[in-house]
Amino acid sequence: MGKVVKIFDNEKEKYSGNCYVNTVIFRGKIPQAPKLCTNDTVKFSVQLSNGRDDKTGEWKSPTYANIVAFGDLGRKILKNYKERDEIWLTAKYYTNKFEGNFYHGFIAREVITQEELDRAEQEVKEVLEDYDLPF
């Protein structure tokens, strides 16, 4: 079991989940529709913002992360996400060497849906209602 990572928005917990070694959380847009590569493998990229340049105010060039998803998670992504959709997900970084070449990318572990974020927020509210807090 890894450590627990939490995402907060305006000081409210929006997500809580395990954070294993080499795990990242992505929030970005899918620039091209996910593609089914085999019966069990889906590949896609996520466009990640690098923010604005402090001096010019112009958007910096984005970074792209290559993602692969397997099994039920891959089928869920293929069914529910299309080009230009925003996605939140946790993924594990991998690197492999094959015939002298290095390959790297990310393996999707979990998609964080808005429904899950809303449910987590409601659960926190319900827990707080059970306590007589002084604030």
Side-chain angles (χ1 to χ4, degrees):
M1 170 90 102
K3 294 184 178 185
V4 173
V5 65
K6 296 176 185 272
I7 298 174
F8 291 87
D9 183 19
N10 291 326
E11 298 183 16
K12 293 180 184 175
E13 184 178 321
K14 299 290 279 182
Y15 170 78
S16 177
N18 290 326
C19 183
Y20 300 92
V21 174
N22 296 331
T23 296
V24 295
I25 298 172
F26 289 126
R27 177 185 179 194
K29 293 205 180 227
I30 299 173
Q32 295 179 338
K35 296 196 178 359
L36 181 64
C37 295
T38 67
N39 289 342
D40 222 19
T41 306
V42 173
K43 292 185 178 181
F44 62 102
S45 293
V46 176
Q47 179 181 341
L48 307 165
S49 173
N50 284 315
R52 292 183 185 262
D53 185 283
D54 291 337
K55 294 180 182 172
T56 67
E58 298 286 322
W59 285 102
K60 296 178 185 176
S61 295
T63 297
Y64 293 86
N66 296 319
I67 313 288
V68 62
F70 300 102
D72 290 340
L73 181 58
R75 287 186 289 278
K76 177 180 175 181
I77 291 168
L78 193 61
K79 177 183 173 188
N80 295 315
Y81 292 89
K82 60 187 183 312
E83 184 176 333
R84 304 181 67 82
D85 281 350
E86 181 179 79
I87 190 168
W88 285 63
L89 60 97
T90 62
K92 177 185 177 188
Y93 176 75
Y94 75 87
T95 183
N96 290 325
K97 184 177 180 182
F98 180 71
E99 295 181 355
N101 295 315
F102 284 94
Y103 300 91
H104 60 92
F106 297 89
I107 300 171
R109 287 192 179 267
E110 175 186 18
V111 172
I112 306 166
T113 64
Q114 187 61 48
E115 178 182 279
E116 290 166 334
L117 293 171
D118 293 343
R119 185 174 51 245
E121 183 176 358
Q122 183 59 36
E123 288 172 2
V124 169
K125 284 180 183 177
E126 290 170 5
V127 167
L128 292 176
E129 288 172 358
D130 290 342
Y131 292 95
D132 187 20
L133 300 174
F135 50 89

